[in-house]
């Protein structure tokens, strides 16, 4: 009888739920995140942003070819491509960041396909010319082209999820989160690059894993670098030059 009572007691104890932790045991109080004041106007730079173009000067930019002062056209708060002098890139180098950039395809744009408002935002410029990792800029409004080279694409690597292009003559925006590739000491790849991009507020690249640099011809590859400028492309097509404004970046861990 005593053995049976003991067995029942053990069974009852086994069915008792484990004691739940107190809420305080799962609360984290440190470190406290830094305070960042958001802009009053959507799309404007927050308090911790590095302003790359404020509508007044190209002080943050140099020629991507020889690092001499940038010579695009600044007028009425707008930065317009000067195709004859080539691409420009930031004086500063960046690793991981959040980027905001606005661009406008001219209302009187001519040409078709890749020859219509072509440019690019190179999220990491790894050399002169078109060396690096490109988020394509192009007229995407009723302008058919190969879809891994349309606006919103990671050039020749990732088709955008949707086409959110506005009409030529209207301002458009990219909001990008860039995670740069990480390399081992011997130059081999440790972690690939990733990009998330919103085009006019619409998600077009969702944490896409890049296969390497974006190339016009050939297969992408990784080559070690430690930080890189952001580059804006002066494309050689014959259409009217596009313009940029309100460019800022927030460095991320």
């Amino acid at each position: 009888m005593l053995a049976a009572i003991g067995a029942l007691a053990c069974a009852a104890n086994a069915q008792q739920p484990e004691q739940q932790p107190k809420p305080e045991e799962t609360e984290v109080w440190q470190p406290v995140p830094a305070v960042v004041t958001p802009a009053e106007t959507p799309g404007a730079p927050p308090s911790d942003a590095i302003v790359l173009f404020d509508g007044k000067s190209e002080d943050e930019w140099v020629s991507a070819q020889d690092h001499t002062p940038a010579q695009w056209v600044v007028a009425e708060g707008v930065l317009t491509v000067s195709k004859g002098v080539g691409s420009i890139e930031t004086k500063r180098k960046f690793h991981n960041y959040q980027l905001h950039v606005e661009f406008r395809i001219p209302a009187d744009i001519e040409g078709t396909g890749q020859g219509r408002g072509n440019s690019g935002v190179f999220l990491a410029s790894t050399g002169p010319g078109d060396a690096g990792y490109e988020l394509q800029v192009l007229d995407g409004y009723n302008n058919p082209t190969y879809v891994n080279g349309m606006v919103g694409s990671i050039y020749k690597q990732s088709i955008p999820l949707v086409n959110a292009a506005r009409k030529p003559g209207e301002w458009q925006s990219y909001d990008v989160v860039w995670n740069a590739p990480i390399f081992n000491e011997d130059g081999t790849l440790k972690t690939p690059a990733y990009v998330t991009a919103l085009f006019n507020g619409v998600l077009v690249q969702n944490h896409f894993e890049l296969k390497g640099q974006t190339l016009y011809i050939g297969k992408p590859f990784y080559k070690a670098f430690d930080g890189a400028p952001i580059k804006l492309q002066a494309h050689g097509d014959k259409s009217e030059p596009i313009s940029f404004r309100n460019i800022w970046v927030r460095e991320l861990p």
Side-chain angles (χ1 to χ4, degrees):
M1 176 63 106
L2 291 175
I5 293 173
L8 289 172
C10 289
N13 289 334
Q15 295 174 5
Q16 291 293 325
E18 294 184 6
Q19 185 175 2
Q20 293 295 314
K22 296 178 180 179
E24 293 81 1
E25 295 179 22
T26 54
E27 294 174 356
V28 178
W29 287 72
Q30 296 288 339
V32 178
V35 175
V36 173
T37 304
E40 294 183 6
T41 304
S47 62
D48 65 343
I50 299 170
V51 177
L52 298 176
F53 180 69
D54 62 359
K56 299 177 182 178
S57 77
E58 297 172 280
D59 288 349
E60 290 286 341
W61 301 85
V62 294
S63 164
Q65 322 313 312
D66 57 14
H67 294 170
T68 56
Q71 297 183 38
W72 284 10
V73 179
V74 178
E76 299 181 350
V78 173
L79 177 65
T80 300
V81 175
S82 182
K83 295 190 177 185
V85 301
S87 302
I88 62 173
E89 66 184 22
T90 58
K91 292 180 178 178
R92 309 184 197 218
K93 292 183 178 181
F94 300 96
H95 291 89
N96 304 328
Y97 59 75
Q98 173 189 348
L99 173 69
H100 177 88
V101 55
E102 299 175 15
F103 66 91
R104 181 177 62 190
I105 307 295
D108 59 350
I109 193 73
E110 297 180 353
T112 59
Q114 295 291 306
R116 185 178 173 88
N118 199 326
S119 182
V121 177
F122 282 74
L123 305 173
S125 173
T126 57
D130 295 338
Y133 301 75
E134 181 185 7
L135 174 60
Q136 175 75 315
V137 174
L138 189 73
D139 179 24
Y141 191 83
N142 294 331
N143 181 40
T145 187
Y146 48 91
V147 292
N148 62 346
M150 66 183 289
V151 66
S153 68
I154 303 302
Y155 188 71
K156 287 288 183 81
Q157 288 195 43
S158 179
I159 301 166
L161 298 174
V162 295
N163 181 355
R166 301 186 190 278
K167 295 179 180 179
E170 298 183 13
W171 282 102
Q172 312 195 59
S173 66
Y174 276 140
D175 289 282
V176 182
V177 175
W178 168 252
N179 293 108
I182 300 173
F183 298 91
N184 296 305
E185 291 185 3
D186 63 358
T188 58
L189 183 67
K190 181 177 181 181
T191 305
Y194 292 92
V195 62
T196 296
L198 286 84
F199 178 33
N200 295 327
V202 180
L203 185 69
V204 291
Q205 298 292 338
N206 188 14
H207 198 61
F208 172 71
E209 178 183 322
L210 281 86
K211 301 175 182 65
Q213 299 187 54
T214 51
L215 304 176
Y216 178 49
I217 301 174
K219 294 183 178 180
F221 63 90
Y222 278 104
K223 183 178 180 180
F225 66 94
D226 183 18
I230 297 167
K231 179 164 56 186
L232 301 180
Q233 184 187 45
H235 193 269
D237 71 281
K238 297 180 180 180
S239 66
E240 295 72 14
I242 77 165
S243 299
F244 294 90
R245 71 177 185 186
N246 190 24
I247 309 173
W248 53 264
V249 62
R250 295 180 61 246
E251 295 180 294
L252 303 175

